[in-house]
Amino acid sequence: MVPGPGAVPADPVKPPSRAPGPRTADHRARTVIEALPWLETYQDRIVVIKFGGNAMVDDELKQAFARDVVSLRYAGLRPVVVHGGGPQISALLNRLDLEVRFAAGLRVTTPEIMDVVRMVLAGQVQREIVGLINAHGPFAVGLTGEDARTMTATRRPAWVDGEPVDIGLVGEITRVDPDTLRALLDRGRIPVVSPIARGEDGQIYNINADLAASALAVALGAEKLVMLTDVEGVYANWPHTTDVIGRMTATELEKLLPSLASGMVPKMEGCLRAVREGVRMAHVLDGRVPHSLLLEVFTDDTTGTTVVPDARDTEDDNR
């Protein structure tokens, strides 16, 4: 049809948008309807999210994560982000020609490496995440476990094949003071926490981000703990199959823990501690899947592995 006088023709490059067809509209409506009970369930509830793995070095995934966290905040939840930074730390150590070594699933941290860890986590990674979130509104505030003595730690022991090993300045959290985080949440902010803590002796410790997220979730009385990582979940019989365990109780996880790959141990140890100490559920999700966080919170299309307390392992629990 030829436009009449004064009409504005359609953009010759971008075709005019069309109303969604019945199936598309129905799908969108179902998605919104499906989210409604979860919006009610999680209103004003704290969700602690550990952001790590390869998702932290992929620009599109980082952008998607920031949008998802802000979406949670707008939906009435109170998100807290605890970030890792392993790939970035290893990259800088390689450039500085410093040894990258792990034992018992944890980075061996000499005083020299601790300086790099502190610089990368608090000076690079945290600032980038804060900036990405704040591109969508003035919400994110960065801090470390040192700030306001939010986390206090002591040197963490480690064993490999039953033998003690020295992993250096790797800390184990002994105390959490959540007051600063609660004050930020009450003001509508999104805390972004770097997993660094100070000991009673003044020593600075490198804290595994999974365990830091778990400790903060317990101290804050979080509804759930979400571990975003670069695996699909807990495999039932790795490496023989790639079948993911969708749901397990704390006791089931405790029995499985010794057989897990070393990199999964801190994640699942964190999940176990969280649900044993009051967090209603913990999830391990594939952070390589865009918007996996929103899918977990607001839909029934949950992937990954969910860990629940033994006493609440019923159909009345969430997914």
Side-chain angles (χ1 to χ4, degrees), residues 192-317:
V192 178
V193 185
S194 299
I196 303 166
R198 186 178 295 270
E200 296 286 2
D201 57 359
Q203 179 64 62
I204 306 301
Y205 290 102
N206 179 18
I207 309 296
N208 177 271
D210 301 311
L211 300 178
S214 175
L216 290 178
V218 171
L220 288 165
E223 176 74 10
K224 61 170 62 192
L225 167 66
V226 179
M227 303 280 198
L228 287 175
T229 184
D230 52 8
V231 296
E232 296 173 288
V234 179
Y235 296 113
N237 190 22
W238 177 262
H240 305 292
T241 72
T242 56
D243 295 334
V244 173
I245 301 173
R247 179 186 178 97
M248 68 173 70
T249 65
T251 296
E252 290 168 340
L253 173 56
E254 188 174 36
K255 292 177 181 177
L256 187 65
L257 205 56
S259 67
L260 296 178
S262 60
M264 283 297 290
V265 170
K267 295 175 180 58
M268 303 318 298
E269 184 181 327
C271 290
L272 181 61
R273 288 183 180 181
V275 299
R276 282 263 167 91
E277 296 182 33
V279 177
R280 189 165 175 263
M281 58 183 59
H283 309 274
V284 177
L285 303 180
D286 192 342
R288 300 168 300 180
V289 177
H291 308 299
S292 58
L293 176 60
L294 289 188
L295 291 173
E296 162 53 40
V297 175
F298 293 133
T299 77
D300 295 320
D301 297 331
T302 301
T303 58
T305 298
T306 297
V307 182
V308 296
D310 297 304
R312 297 183 182 180
D313 190 24
T314 68
E315 292 300 322
D316 292 334
D317 278 325

Side-chain angles (χ1 to χ4, degrees), residues 162-175:
E163 296 293 328
V165 294
D166 183 9
I167 54 176
L169 299 177
V170 176
E172 184 169 36
I173 297 173
T174 56
R175 187 172 69 251

Side-chain angles (χ1 to χ4, degrees), residues 4-15:
V8 179
D11 189 321
V13 177
K14 181 180 179 182

Side-chain angles (χ1 to χ4, degrees), residues 72-84:
L72 293 181
R73 192 269 185 193
Y74 276 127
L77 285 77
R78 304 208 288 172
V80 176
V81 176
V82 180
H83 67 84

Side-chain angles (χ1 to χ4, degrees), residues 12 14 22 49 83-84 86 94 112 155 159 171 188 266 287 316:
K14 181 180 179 182
I49 307 149
H83 67 84
N94 286 328
E112 190 176 24
R155 187 182 292 251
W159 289 267
D316 292 334

Side-chain angles (χ1 to χ4, degrees), residues 29-45:
R30 287 179 182 274
T31 300
V32 174
I33 293 170
E34 188 177 334
L36 290 179
W38 308 122
L39 285 167
E40 182 179 3
T41 297
Y42 298 130
Q43 193 68 205
D44 206 35
R45 301 294 180 89

